[in-house]
Amino acid sequence: IDSEDDLLQECISSAMPKKK
Amino acid sequence: PTPPYLKWAESLHSLLDDQDGTHLFRTFLKQEDCADLLDFWFACSGFRKLEASGGNEEKKLKLAKAIYRKYILDNNSIVSRQIKAATKSFIRDCVVRVHIEPAMLDQAQTEIQAMLEENTYPVFLKSDLYLEYT
């Protein structure tokens, strides 16, 4: 389950805007 | 130049395109106990990005399942309650039949986005949190 949560977090972070 | 926080008031997209804006909006949603709506919206974008980048099929399936289980499976969850039954069963079918495609979460993301645009985003713009920031 942990790795599934990590994968989800990684996915959310990848789509969030980065510092400009 | 226009300060970023004024741009945030132009549209939901200008808000979600800015790191500080997204952070403040998420803080607001967390106070309202609905940060999952935004997390789901970003998860859908991240899923599409991963899909578009090609590569690891197993990872895509695992991610699609994770998103389904966390946000959609429980009909009482805040995200699930905002998504149409037909959209949910379409996603469920994709996961169950291992038929993973880039657009499989698009409709659900659109429905959540409409909800954010009509409800939470306008409320955010009138919130103390946003006003204090400006």
Side-chain angles (χ1 to χ4, degrees):
Chain A
I1 296 291
D2 266 357
S3 71
E4 204 171 75
D5 262 2
D6 290 346
L7 187 64
L8 197 52
Q9 273 315 312
E10 180 193 318
C11 167
I12 292 170
S13 306
S14 78
M16 285 207 170
K18 307 287 176 276
K19 202 89 195 157
K20 279 173 194 159
Chain B
T2 318
Y5 57 80
L6 286 181
K7 288 205 164 184
W8 302 347
E10 286 171 8
S11 69
L12 180 67
H13 273 282
S14 356
L15 176 71
L16 299 184
D17 197 34
D18 184 89
Q19 193 183 45
D20 295 334
T22 298
H23 181 75
L24 196 70
F25 189 41
R26 195 171 185 283
T27 304
F28 169 76
L29 292 175
K30 225 173 160 179
Q31 285 174 2
E32 307 288 310
D33 275 329
C34 52
D36 272 4
L37 293 170
L38 191 63
D39 291 348
F40 177 73
W41 190 88
F42 278 115
C44 292
S45 298
F47 176 78
R48 201 164 42 237
K49 262 171 111 172
L50 180 71
E51 265 289 333
S53 70
N56 198 330
E57 291 301 322
E58 199 189 328
K59 189 175 176 183
K60 290 175 194 170
L61 176 62
K62 209 171 166 187
L63 180 60
K65 275 188 184 167
I67 293 174
Y68 177 73
R69 277 200 209 122
K70 166 109 182 171
Y71 299 108
I72 300 171
L73 181 61
D74 176 2
N75 278 320
N76 291 315
S77 81
I78 184 129
V79 172
S80 195
R81 272 188 280 146
Q82 304 297 334
I83 299 176
K84 291 184 184 127
T87 310
K88 286 191 271 193
S89 54
F90 168 74
I91 297 169
R92 186 180 169 278
D93 273 6
C94 288
V95 171
V96 171
R97 293 187 199 167
V98 196
H99 181 74
I100 304 301
E101 50 173 289
M104 64 175 273
L105 297 173
D106 286 8
Q107 177 58 28
Q109 187 183 28
T110 302
E111 288 171 21
I112 292 300
Q113 186 179 311
M115 191 267 168
L116 290 172
E117 275 170 341
E118 283 160 29
N119 296 295
T120 44
Y121 174 64
V123 177
F124 166 72
L125 294 178
K126 287 181 199 150
S127 69
D128 289 344
L129 192 69
Y130 177 69
L131 295 179
E132 274 163 27
Y133 188 94
T134 59

